[in-house]
Structure formats: C-alpha cells, structure tokens
Amino acid sequence: MRSATTTTLLRCAAFGAVGAVILFLVSPLTSTAAVLNPVLYAAIAAVTMVMPMLARRWTGVPGATVLTAAVTGLLALPVTALGPAIIVALVVPAAAIDLVLARRRHPARVTTWLAAAVGGVAIWALSFAVISPDLISPALVIVLLAVRVVSYVLAMELAGLVAGRLRRSGVRSVRRGDARRGSSDA
C-alpha cells in the first residue's frame, strides 16, 4: 500500500472495525459450527472476509484486503475462540486475494471470482491445522474445498454488491483532489 492515501488507510481501518463487529456477532455461531460440523463452519466463516474484500473492491487499492483483514483480526482478538490464529486465518487468504488482484485497480468480475477462489483455497489449506485428524477423509477434503471456494466467491459477490451500492448512494471512494494528483485511492 505504498501509494495509498491517509484517507484510504482510514477507510480500511473503518472496514476492519466493522469486520470485527461482524466477527464478534457470528462468533457464537461459528464456534458451535466448528465443533459440530467443519463443513457448516466453512460455509458460515466466509462472512468474516466480506469487509476485507469490500475494502479492496471499493478502494481499488492493492493491499487493502490484507490491511483490512489485519485490523479485523487485531480488533477481534479478545472475542474469538481462535485467539491469535484469527489474524492468520484472515490475513493469509486476504494476501492470496491481493496477490491475484495486485496489478488490477478495478478488476473484471471473473478476476475477482478467481481471487476469491484462490483465497478460498488458502483458507482451505489452513483449516487442516485445526481439524482433528480423526475427522479427515477424502470426501471431507473435497467437500471442504468446494465449500470454501464457493463461500469465498459468494462473499466477494456480496462485497461487490455493497461497493456498488456505496457508489450509487453517493459515497465516493476517492476525493476529487486526490484524483487530480494521481492518487491510487480510486
């Protein structure tokens, strides 16, 4: 985020704060689902990535996903059963998403789907660090992969929908002066 403005950084922090609230609100549900059914957990937990994805889609700034995910994780640390692992669980897929979108300011829809799918694969791989080896089977591995990828693509679509609504409601992602000065905050 070398060329991000202070405004962009503050917006990412605000999205991260909202993401922490969302994480806090779904935490009882995800904690229960994690114990009862890893597939259900995988489907529900994707909602925690909506705000980092929204930050990237709305600002168009590379690195916004990682920054927002890190803020979300740091703010959610005291209220999550995962403890410090929440930061890893948010930042690793966010980094995967940002890598795919790195050189694209306003990527095409298919590119955002690809980025979300890559993020889903990243969190899928991480999830085996916390799933009991006794539960792991080839069927679970395949189903979890599919659920992670689909839920991340759906989360990205929701982020795109919200970003579009913000723009249509008149909330701009760039200040006029920044646009004239060549800021990457568009």
Side-chain angles (χ1 to χ4, degrees), residues 22-49 79-82 86 148:
I22 291 169
L23 200 147
F24 172 73
L25 293 174
V26 300
S27 189
L29 183 59
T30 55
S31 296
T32 304
V35 172
L36 298 177
N37 187 333
V39 175
L40 180 62
Y41 171 79
I44 297 168
V47 74
T48 61
M49 283 302 294
V79 297
T80 180
L82 287 175
I86 190 65
R148 288 291 192 175

Side-chain angles (χ1 to χ4, degrees), residues 51-108:
M51 295 314 287
M53 291 173 177
L54 173 59
R56 177 58 171 90
R57 301 268 321 248
W58 192 59
T59 66
V61 175
T65 317
V66 169
L67 176 62
T68 304
V71 170
T72 300
L74 288 170
L75 292 175
L77 247 171
V79 297
T80 180
L82 287 175
I86 190 65
I87 297 169
V88 175
L90 292 170
V91 170
V92 168
I97 290 166
D98 269 342
L99 282 173
V100 173
L101 301 177
R103 297 190 181 265
R104 294 168 182 89
R105 191 156 181 64
H106 298 289

Side-chain angles (χ1 to χ4, degrees), residues 123-150:
I123 193 65
W124 168 78
L126 279 176
S127 65
F128 291 103
V130 293
I131 296 175
S132 171
D134 299 338
L135 295 176
I136 297 174
S137 68
L140 179 66
V141 170
I142 293 167
V143 170
L144 275 179
L145 176 61
V147 169
R148 288 291 192 175
V149 168
V150 169

